[in-house]
Amino acid sequence: MKEKEFITQEHIATRNKFRTLGPIVLGAGILCVVIAGIDFFTLDFFESPKYFYLFFIGLPLLAIGFYFTGLGYGSKLAAYQSREMAPVAKDTFNYLANETTGSIEKIAQAAQKGKSAVVEAKQCGNCQELNKIDAKFCNECGNAL
């Protein structure tokens, strides 16, 4: 049985629709905003704009067009961004690794010393005090261990 493909033909068809529809909707939004802007900024005194409503149509179209275009070209954008950021991330990681090596070694040495400093102990049955493993009597209450 053949494994299911990650990017199916249906996905490719949908992506192509977004690549077509996104720029068209984006262009329509830009056109509406430009017409409304020209109408608004070329008014004489006390003249009311005729196409101001196109701002309310064009701005949502711009947002939808950007969104659809992003869906259509998202993989290309992500691939570009990863190629731009990967060398910087690598340099940052290497810098941090080189600059923190001494500190990490000190922490490892301290942890190793702390590990060797652990002493086995006996707990007193009377007062629950911890005593050395070879102690015959409790240091706290004097009870025989």
Side-chain angles (χ1 to χ4, degrees), residues 31-45:
L31 184 64
C32 288
V33 169
V34 167
I35 291 170
I38 290 171
D39 180 51
F40 183 75
F41 290 110
T42 59
L43 293 174
D44 289 330
F45 284 107

Side-chain angles (χ1 to χ4, degrees), residues 2-12:
K2 184 179 175 185
E3 285 189 36
K4 191 173 183 180
E5 293 180 31
F6 182 71
I7 297 180
T8 62
Q9 290 301 320
E10 181 183 355
H11 176 88
I12 292 170

Side-chain angles (χ1 to χ4, degrees), residues 11-139:
H11 176 88
I12 292 170
T14 304
R15 179 177 59 200
N16 289 337
K17 288 176 189 173
F18 282 130
R19 285 182 176 179
T20 303
L21 187 60
I24 291 171
V25 173
L26 187 62
I30 290 170
L31 184 64
C32 288
V33 169
V34 167
I35 291 170
I38 290 171
D39 180 51
F40 183 75
F41 290 110
T42 59
L43 293 174
D44 289 330
F45 284 107
F46 301 110
E47 186 181 2
S48 61
K50 296 177 188 145
Y51 302 109
F52 191 74
Y53 67 92
L54 288 178
F55 274 126
F56 297 103
I57 296 171
L59 292 176
L61 286 177
L62 283 173
I64 293 168
F66 272 120
Y67 182 70
F68 284 176
T69 303
L71 289 175
Y73 290 98
S75 63
K76 299 285 185 194
L77 181 62
Y80 172 77
Q81 287 176 329
S82 68
R83 285 190 295 270
E84 285 292 314
M85 289 187 277
V88 176
K90 177 186 168 194
D91 290 345
T92 302
F93 180 80
N94 288 336
Y95 172 77
L96 287 173
N98 290 335
E99 293 297 317
T100 58
T101 300
S103 299
I104 291 172
E105 287 173 353
K106 287 180 185 176
I107 292 170
Q109 288 171 358
Q112 190 64 28
K113 284 181 184 177
K115 183 178 177 185
S116 63
V118 173
V119 178
E120 292 184 29
K122 278 193 230 187
Q123 188 173 21
C124 175
N126 185 38
C127 68
Q128 313 309 319
E129 177 72 19
L130 292 177
N131 295 281
K132 289 184 181 179
I133 194 74
D134 58 347
K136 303 284 184 203
F137 297 97
C138 176
N139 287 334

